Amino acid sequence: MVEDKDLNLLKVEKVYEPKEECKKTAHFQDYETLYKSSLQNREAFWDKIAKELCWFKPWEKVLEWNYPYAKWFVGGKTNICYNCLDRNLERGLRNKVAIIYVNEDEEEKKLTYGELNELVGRFASALKSLGIKKGDRVVLYMPNTPEAAIAMLACARIGAIHSVVFAGFSTEALRMRIEDAKPKAVITATYTKRRGKKIDLLSTAREAIKGLDYVEHLIVWDRDKNQTLREGEKEFYNLIKENKEISPAEEMDAEDPLFILYTSGTTGKPKGVLHTTGGYMVGTYITTKWDFNLQDDDIYWCTADVGWITGHSYIVYGPLLNGATTLMYEGAPNYPDPGIWWRIVEKYRVNIFYTAPTAIRLFMRYGEEYPKKYDLSSLRVLGSVGEPINPEAWEWYYRVIGGQKCPIVDTWWQTETGMHLILTWPHMKAKPGYAGKPFFTVEVDVVDKNGNPVPPNHVGYLVIKNPWPAMLRTVWGNPERYEKYWNIIPGYYCPEDLASKDEEGYIMILGRADDVLNVAGHRIGTAEVESALVAHPDVAEAAVIGKPDEIKGQRIKAFVVLRVGVQPSQELTESIKQTVRKTLGPIAVPDEIEYVEKLPKTRSGKIMRRLLRAKELGLQVGDLSTLED
Ligand code: WT7
């Protein structure tokens, strides 16, 4: 845990006043006034916003709150895919570009709203022809390309629940998620391309579904048209060719499930966060529009991957609900050279650019000359997400990328929250180091373990005091785990982040309070890595901690106890890393492995990671009364 005294080191006095231009493009005027009035009547606030979208049947009640279970837009019927496509065609956006796809070779593909509608509608018909119905699950293991968005939207169109698994996850991680979601179909591609190399997805998907009878279909996007498909496998574009009809959008209840997205927690098993239709739609729609001052002709680029929540909410659903042009990039940020992203900004005249601090820190290391080579003058708003943006990275982003004219919109949220909850709007005073203030109608605070507010500038747990539309509704197949979010500090939703609040109500996020790491903006459970480590035949026990890393935020260090008689060696280290790579995927491989005789444990047998961390980082070890030995 971060101590109060450490806060002084983090506290930054610098304040950036908002620019006049940002006020002009804003969709609301004074934050404080609107925030206060939104608290007075939360339901009226959301009622008004939801009415901007299309509903087949209006809701009877905005919110039904049965702690800790919420229903939003009760009785309302709609379809999020209809709102992303049909509604925009009706508004005359048929020929507007919906998705621009670019890759490392700077190959591009553009899809208009009209074209996207046709592809999605026909693919939706294809899914139906395969017997996939409302409520069935479909797992996607796809590259960050329009085909992933097409598959997501087609599922949403017919009411199938999609579950996207990041294409960087390995066979076992994919299989674990498939076994939990029990999909009728899995959709994949032959490969994804990164750093000039093709990464095989098809073999991984085939391996992951071996022997699972409930997976009736494997749909494969054969990118080079050179694969021999096996029995039970169908080709993505062939399906579109064979199905000429645009499937109508299924009437969905506001509370019908939309998707499951797995995220890491404190146990070895990831949680299937469930989002539903109406609230998620309204929440992502308005936050994309308001939080980035989105304008009609904007080219909007979020550099995330569809495999994460940021890709769901802010590459696909939020931008398309707004009829915006969203750019999707497949590849690494620094390949073939560290100028690739800035070339794309220049070439497509990107206006809104949304990325993670880890990427900014990577570019800082390469130096200013790369971005300086390109014309970045089209940029108007810069966003940040995934972890706290340290003031140095903030200043660099502001000065070098934004040319001191673009506001930096830091956005705090989670897989579970579905939408931004704390942020610094473009036309709000920015304090580098602070995420900002709560979204309208949402009250947040920083409290101690008993739920009592801590004084300003002290460290505590961040809590959200009331429900919001895009909140998770449950954890798939595990309602107790859902209830836990609301039971850690009874009465409130606890995201398990440490935070502090200043006198003006600005929230500083200090990192996770639980055994979850944030490596390059990716959430990784220490328990997941530990169980991958012990899957190695020579490993008896393992403990994993996060160490500060200049670029990735945190790096993974593993302490490993070997089985009796096994000697440490360089080869063994490599082989252990390989096991983690195979079990979880490259993002979870420890940077460091240290062999130890035994691990510190509590009397009840729990590994004291806190103690390992403290020793590793030379911090005070704190209370040791529960240590076994
Ligand atoms: C955790 C959620 C939300 C999309 C990406 C990650 C950390 C996220 C910020 C931010 C400080 C942040 C928190 C949070 N986090 N955004 N702007 N400032 N911390 O989603 O994988 O569900 O992880 O990421 O620790 O709890 P996720």
Side-chain angles (χ1 to χ4, degrees):
M1 173 127 178
V2 182
E3 307 286 332
D4 278 348
K5 59 178 169 33
D6 300 334
L7 268 183
N8 297 325
L9 302 169
L10 300 162
K11 218 175 156 189
V12 189
E13 303 301 332
K14 223 160 173 177
V15 167
Y16 287 79
E17 291 299 332
K19 300 259 191 304
E20 277 310 308
E21 299 85 87
C22 296
K23 292 183 188 158
K24 279 187 218 140
T25 49
H27 295 286
F28 62 88
Q29 281 315 310
D30 179 53
Y31 168 80
E32 298 298 339
T33 316
L34 185 57
Y35 181 70
K36 272 191 205 101
S37 86
S38 81
L39 292 188
Q40 239 105 71
N41 197 341
R42 297 182 222 260
E43 297 189 22
F45 177 90
W46 288 110
D47 187 81
K48 189 162 168 237
I49 302 227
K51 282 182 178 143
E52 292 182 22
L53 293 163
C54 168
W55 295 75
F56 307 141
K57 184 172 167 264
W59 51 94
E60 286 132 31
K61 228 173 135 188
V62 174
L63 170 66
E64 205 174 276
W65 180 222
N66 217 329
Y67 175 87
Y69 293 98
K71 284 187 181 160
W72 283 88
F73 308 107
V74 185
K77 308 281 180 198
T78 185
N79 182 295
I80 192 168
C81 176
Y82 187 94
N83 275 282
C84 288
L85 301 175
D86 309 59
R87 175 175 172 268
N88 288 321
L89 300 189
E90 284 157 23
R91 294 198 300 155
L93 302 182
R94 184 173 287 273
N95 297 322
K96 179 172 177 176
V97 175
I99 302 179
I100 303 176
Y101 161 80
V102 195
N103 64 21
E104 296 172 340
D105 305 320
E106 287 177 63
E107 292 164 340
E108 66 161 45
K109 186 149 94 187
K110 289 183 182 172
L111 290 174
T112 63
Y113 273 92
E115 290 163 337
L116 185 61
N117 180 61
E118 174 144 6
L119 291 166
V120 169
R122 289 169 66 164
F123 192 65
S125 294
L127 292 176
K128 279 206 285 199
S129 76
L130 297 176
I132 294 156
K133 315 177 296 297
K134 181 170 173 175
D136 287 341
R137 274 81 60 211
V138 176
V139 163
L140 275 59
Y141 185 64
M142 295 286 278
N144 198 43
T145 61
E147 287 72 13
I150 292 168
M152 289 163 76
L153 290 162
C155 287
R157 192 160 188 90
I158 65 169
I161 306 169
H162 62 68
S163 184
V164 185
V165 177
F166 174 56
F169 279 121
S170 66
T171 312
E172 276 173 58
L174 173 60
R175 189 179 175 94
M176 202 179 204
R177 286 158 177 79
I178 291 175
E179 283 179 331
D180 193 72
K182 298 202 169 45
K184 213 180 229 178
V186 172
I187 308 178
T188 191
T190 38
Y191 60 85
T192 179
K193 222 170 150 187
R194 200 175 161 90
R195 301 190 181 286
K197 286 200 214 82
K198 289 179 182 172
I199 300 159
D200 186 352
L201 299 180
L202 178 56
S203 308
T204 305
R206 279 176 174 162
E207 187 66 27
I209 59 171
K210 224 178 231 164
L212 303 179
D213 304 335
Y214 45 82
V215 183
E216 293 172 19
H217 309 279
L218 180 65
I219 299 173
V220 183
W221 171 33
D222 182 4
R223 299 184 74 168
D224 297 337
K225 300 193 174 59
N226 61 0
Q227 274 293 321
T228 321
L229 295 187
R230 301 177 183 171
E231 209 190 304
E233 297 180 351
K234 302 267 181 338
E235 205 281 324
F236 189 90
Y237 280 104
N238 280 347
L239 284 173
I240 291 176
K241 261 185 228 142
E242 288 158 16
N243 288 275
K244 301 255 180 309
E245 202 190 319
I246 294 185
S247 163
E250 184 82 26
E251 188 173 286
M252 302 294 286
D253 189 85
E255 283 301 331
D256 276 336
L258 174 63
F259 66 83
I260 302 167
L261 185 60
Y262 288 87
T263 190
S264 296
T266 43
T267 72
K269 204 175 161 244
K271 300 182 261 201
V273 169
L274 182 85
H275 283 287
T276 58
T277 303
Y280 178 82
M281 174 175 85
V282 174
T284 53
Y285 161 72
I286 202 62
T287 47
T288 306
K289 182 171 168 179
W290 284 14
D291 302 350
F292 300 117
N293 280 4
L294 183 68
Q295 307 295 302
D296 283 343
D297 296 323
D298 279 345
I299 306 293
Y300 166 99
W301 182 15
C302 165
T303 68
D305 186 286
V306 284
W308 309 109
I309 191 69
T310 311
H312 283 61
S313 301
Y314 298 108
I315 294 178
V316 180
Y317 288 114
L320 297 179
L321 285 166
N322 280 283
T325 300
T326 181
L327 195 146
M328 283 179 104
Y329 172 74
E330 181 187 21
N334 53 354
Y335 184 90
D337 61 79
I340 176 82
W341 281 11
W342 317 123
R343 273 202 298 288
I344 294 173
V345 168
E346 174 181 276
K347 184 163 168 194
Y348 295 95
R349 307 294 299 153
V350 172
N351 306 105
I352 301 173
F353 179 77
Y354 189 25
T355 197
T358 184
I360 300 301
R361 291 190 299 260
L362 180 74
F363 291 123
M364 283 170 78
R365 196 179 60 178
Y366 290 118
E368 295 179 21
E369 56 280 16
Y370 282 101
K372 287 258 162 75
K373 275 192 236 169
Y374 302 96
D375 175 9
L376 306 180
S377 63
S378 59
L379 291 171
R380 206 182 68 242
V381 175
L382 301 176
S384 176
V385 62
E387 56 177 310
I389 176 161
N390 49 306
E392 300 73 31
W394 196 105
E395 302 279 348
W396 194 89
Y397 198 19
Y398 182 72
R399 183 172 57 79
V400 180
I401 305 305
Q404 309 196 61
K405 68 178 180 51
C406 304
I408 291 179
V409 179
D410 189 9
T411 58
W412 177 92
W413 59 297
Q414 305 179 292
T415 306
E416 292 87 341
T417 71
M419 60 184 253
H420 302 155
L421 281 192
I422 299 171
L423 68 146
T424 306
W425 277 270
H427 58 308
M428 180 190 247
K429 173 171 84 185
K431 300 186 179 186
Y434 289 83
K437 296 203 170 195
F439 194 83
F440 303 100
T441 74
V442 179
E443 274 181 288
V444 306
D445 210 346
V446 179
V447 302
D448 63 20
K449 279 203 167 105
N450 303 316
N452 303 313
V454 302
N457 305 314
H458 285 251
V459 180
Y461 292 91
L462 179 68
V463 289
I464 319 290
K465 295 184 162 183
N466 50 297
W468 62 100
M471 65 190 256
L472 80 164
R473 298 301 196 268
T474 191
V475 172
W476 185 254
N478 198 342
E480 302 84 57
R481 248 177 135 178
Y482 169 75
E483 289 185 4
K484 196 186 153 212
Y485 287 103
W486 296 85
N487 286 340
I488 297 166
I489 293 165
Y492 301 144
Y493 172 85
C494 181
E496 301 213 55
D497 271 0
L498 296 172
S500 85
K501 188 163 94 171
D502 75 1
E503 295 80 358
E504 289 186 310
Y506 275 70
I507 306 283
M508 177 187 279
I509 308 287
L510 298 153
R512 301 285 308 185
D514 53 6
D515 287 321
V516 171
L517 309 180
N518 189 332
V519 180
H522 300 314
R523 203 158 133 184
I524 297 170
T526 46
E528 278 171 85
V529 184
E530 287 160 6
S531 64
L533 287 163
V534 297
H536 190 283
D538 292 337
V539 175
E541 271 193 302
V544 160
I545 61 160
K547 277 176 79 173
D549 181 276
E550 215 184 302
I551 291 180
K552 296 194 283 185
Q554 277 188 314
R555 50 158 69 219
I556 304 175
K557 167 146 191 187
F559 295 87
V560 166
V561 180
L562 291 171
R563 285 189 192 280
V564 183
V566 181
Q567 291 308 316
S569 69
Q570 191 60 42
E571 293 79 61
L572 182 60
T573 302
E574 274 319 305
S575 143
I576 293 172
K577 285 186 179 178
Q578 195 53 31
T579 303
V580 180
R581 188 183 303 270
K582 265 187 62 197
T583 316
L584 288 173
I587 52 168
V589 175
D591 299 272
E592 246 180 282
I593 294 182
E594 183 178 329
Y595 297 102
V596 293
E597 289 299 315
K598 61 201 271 201
L599 297 171
K601 289 195 193 145
T602 63
R603 277 177 243 271
S604 59
K606 273 180 144 179
I607 297 170
M608 289 182 88
R609 298 188 189 86
R610 176 171 64 87
L611 187 65
L612 288 168
R613 244 191 113 248
K615 267 193 79 185
E616 182 71 27
L617 305 178
L619 307 170
Q620 282 199 326
V621 289
D623 178 20
L624 288 180
S625 56
T626 57
L627 186 67
E628 182 199 40
D629 179 359

